[in-house]
Amino acid sequence: MAVTIKDVAALAGVSPSTVSRTCKNNPSISDETKEKVRRAMARLGYEPNFQASNLASQNSRTIGIILPVSAREVYENAFYLEAIRGISQYCNQHQYINTVVTGQSEEEVLQVVRSMTRSGQADGFIVLYSRQNDPVIDFLYNEGFLYVLVGKAYQFANQTIYIDNDNFLAGQEATEYLYSLGHRRIAYLGVDQTLMFSADRKSGYQQALLRHDLPLRPEYCVETLTVAPEGRTALHDLLERDDRPTAIVVSDDILAVSLERICIETGLSIPKDLSIISFNNSLFARLTSPQLTSIDINSFQLGIEAASQMINHIENPNLLATKIIVPHYLIERDSCRRVEEEEGEA
């Protein structure tokens, strides 16, 4: 079996990223540490890619920003734009370049990341999403390459630098807000459960229901990556039930806009017939009619913190993996209304 960068790191007693930087002769690594790493490399017979190392020294101070796989939807989501704006602002202030990586399939994204790491075109990557069993994260971790995750780590949590909101708490607070307005039939609309933020928001929603002895009804939870512009959906079925919900927690403003469209199709008025609370506080939340009550997750600050941690770990490679929680807050608008308890239970 071929010797890996992690084998060298284990023998030398350093992090894989320190080995990677030693191969690039990074000046942030002390001569003593470099010598220790080189002795481990020699003992194990590890041969670094010196061509990539030389390229890295010529094209240093570059950070890759990895977006989730998508043909189109990602580019419509203001969360990613705001996070990239925060990353770019911080990088500009510290003389780092950033480049965006995305694609229509996992294989396409992974191929680009492999190419960039092996040719030394990036000092590290900021991954703007977190999902279960992600091959990109597997590759970066196993190769010992520096990355920062925006979102809670699903795997390698103790060794991963990540920036996140407390999405469990945010989902709980969104549901509690609807409960405080008298709603008892509260549904959840979210994206794919493999995305960690939506899974946590759903768990927070469920915990709030249990706290108030409200039933967990599977038919009240709809999860989809997108809502088709035409045709019947699970949301139509939910909203046309005799015991339809009086309020819905929606994991993203874009999904909430789709929900508003379906409400118009089914003859429901917001907030008279259905109250909606969503997440991100994006431009979509302010352009809808009525405007959406939304939880602002500070997307711009998430980007700034991700860039800050990335640059800090590039320049101080022996730091322990950092976990940072960025606060959220509720923006009340016109998409929620108070109901009588009897109305909420009827």
Side-chain angles (χ1 to χ4, degrees), residues 200-216:
D200 281 352
R201 289 171 190 171
K202 179 182 176 182
S203 295
Y205 152 81
Q206 292 173 325
Q207 181 59 37
L209 295 185
L210 292 173
R211 179 179 177 183
H212 295 289
D213 296 321
L214 297 177
L216 301 181

Side-chain angles (χ1 to χ4, degrees), residues 102-159:
T102 189
Q104 297 188 39
S105 68
E106 288 182 339
E107 292 76 16
E108 182 181 342
V109 173
L110 190 54
Q111 183 58 42
V112 173
V113 172
R114 281 197 185 106
S115 176
M116 290 180 70
T117 57
R118 290 171 182 173
S119 62
Q121 294 176 357
D123 291 291
F125 290 91
I126 296 174
V127 185
L128 281 185
Y129 65 93
S130 177
R131 69 164 63 249
Q132 299 176 16
N133 304 316
D134 182 19
V136 173
I137 295 298
D138 285 341
F139 171 77
L140 291 173
Y141 178 81
N142 289 326
E143 290 293 314
F145 212 80
L146 179 63
Y147 68 93
V148 173
L149 194 63
V150 176
K152 187 173 71 176
Y154 175 74
Q155 58 222 56
F156 320 124
N158 201 45
Q159 295 81 36

Side-chain angles (χ1 to χ4, degrees), residues 322-341:
T322 312
K323 292 84 169 85
I324 293 178
I325 300 298
V326 172
H328 60 267
Y329 55 95
L330 176 69
I331 305 294
E332 295 185 74
R333 296 195 180 93
D334 301 324
S335 64
C336 297
R337 78 173 183 103
R338 181 173 296 279
V339 299
E340 297 299 327
E341 187 168 328

Side-chain angles (χ1 to χ4, degrees), residues 21 42 55 62 143 157 179 182 188 211 216 221 226 242 302 310 325:
R21 285 169 183 73
L55 284 170
T62 299
E143 290 293 314
Y179 185 89
Y188 177 80
R211 179 179 177 183
L216 301 181
C221 289
T226 59
D242 292 336
L302 285 167
M310 171 59 71
I325 300 298

Side-chain angles (χ1 to χ4, degrees), residues 17 20-21 24 26 56 59-66 87 91 96-101 112-113 116-118 120-128 136 139-140 144-149 161 306-307 309-315:
S17 60
S20 178
R21 285 169 183 73
K24 300 172 187 177
N26 192 304
N59 300 291
S60 60
R61 304 179 76 84
T62 299
I63 296 169
I65 304 172
I66 304 177
I87 293 168
C91 286
Y96 275 76
I97 299 168
N98 56 78
T99 183
V100 173
V101 178
V112 173
V113 172
M116 290 180 70
T117 57
R118 290 171 182 173
Q121 294 176 357
D123 291 291
F125 290 91
I126 296 174
V127 185
L128 281 185
V136 173
F139 171 77
L140 291 173
F145 212 80
L146 179 63
Y147 68 93
V148 173
L149 194 63
I161 309 161
Q309 289 303 311
M310 171 59 71
I311 292 173
N312 197 19
H313 280 77
I314 287 173
E315 298 180 355

Side-chain angles (χ1 to χ4, degrees), residues 56-339:
S57 64
Q58 298 167 16
N59 300 291
S60 60
R61 304 179 76 84
T62 299
I63 296 169
I65 304 172
I66 304 177
L67 292 172
V69 170
S70 175
R72 184 194 56 172
E73 290 81 5
V74 152
Y75 308 103
E76 300 173 347
N77 194 322
F79 165 79
Y80 298 110
L81 298 178
E82 278 295 287
I84 291 172
R85 187 169 72 89
I87 293 168
S88 296
Q89 177 174 297
Y90 194 90
C91 286
N92 291 342
Q93 293 170 350
H94 293 79
Q95 290 78 54
Y96 275 76
I97 299 168
N98 56 78
T99 183
V100 173
V101 178
T102 189
Q104 297 188 39
S105 68
E106 288 182 339
E107 292 76 16
E108 182 181 342
V109 173
L110 190 54
Q111 183 58 42
V112 173
V113 172
R114 281 197 185 106
S115 176
M116 290 180 70
T117 57
R118 290 171 182 173
S119 62
Q121 294 176 357
D123 291 291
F125 290 91
I126 296 174
V127 185
L128 281 185
Y129 65 93
S130 177
R131 69 164 63 249
Q132 299 176 16
N133 304 316
D134 182 19
V136 173
I137 295 298
D138 285 341
F139 171 77
L140 291 173
Y141 178 81
N142 289 326
E143 290 293 314
F145 212 80
L146 179 63
Y147 68 93
V148 173
L149 194 63
V150 176
K152 187 173 71 176
Y154 175 74
Q155 58 222 56
F156 320 124
N158 201 45
Q159 295 81 36
T160 299
I161 309 161
Y162 67 82
I163 318 297
D164 198 13
N165 307 109
D166 189 334
N167 285 299
F168 178 89
L169 179 62
Q172 190 175 33
E173 288 179 353
T175 311
E176 291 282 358
Y177 175 75
L178 294 172
Y179 185 89
S180 72
L181 295 178
H183 295 280
R184 300 297 180 264
R185 299 201 307 273
I186 304 170
Y188 177 80
L189 171 61
V191 295
D192 187 350
Q193 269 281 96
T194 63
L195 289 167
M196 298 301 293
F197 77 87
S198 189
D200 281 352
R201 289 171 190 171
K202 179 182 176 182
S203 295
Y205 152 81
Q206 292 173 325
Q207 181 59 37
L209 295 185
L210 292 173
R211 179 179 177 183
H212 295 289
D213 296 321
L214 297 177
L216 301 181
R217 303 174 61 171
E219 67 274 18
Y220 268 31
C221 289
V222 177
E223 290 169 295
T224 177
L225 283 175
T226 59
V227 177
E230 298 178 355
R232 190 170 184 85
T233 68
L235 273 176
H236 287 87
D237 296 335
L238 176 63
L239 296 178
E240 292 175 4
R241 295 175 61 95
D242 292 336
D243 59 346
R244 63 170 177 79
T246 63
I248 299 185
V249 176
V250 187
S251 72
D252 181 88
D253 288 339
I254 294 179
L255 277 180
V257 171
S258 299
L259 173 59
E260 286 193 333
R261 175 180 54 79
I262 291 176
C263 286
I264 293 172
E265 294 174 3
T266 55
L268 296 178
S269 174
I270 301 169
K272 179 182 176 182
D273 299 315
L274 186 73
S275 289
I276 299 175
I277 183 170
S278 63
F279 288 81
N280 289 357
N281 191 35
S282 67
L283 180 63
F284 293 102
R286 302 189 294 277
L287 291 180
T288 56
S289 182
Q291 292 186 335
L292 288 168
T293 294
S294 187
I295 292 183
D296 193 319
I297 60 171
N298 285 305
S299 308
F300 179 70
Q301 190 64 33
L302 285 167
I304 287 178
E305 295 292 346
S308 171
Q309 289 303 311
M310 171 59 71
I311 292 173
N312 197 19
H313 280 77
I314 287 173
E315 298 180 355
N316 302 278
N318 291 320
L319 292 176
L320 296 175
T322 312
K323 292 84 169 85
I324 293 178
I325 300 298
V326 172
H328 60 267
Y329 55 95
L330 176 69
I331 305 294
E332 295 185 74
R333 296 195 180 93
D334 301 324
S335 64
C336 297
R337 78 173 183 103
R338 181 173 296 279
V339 299

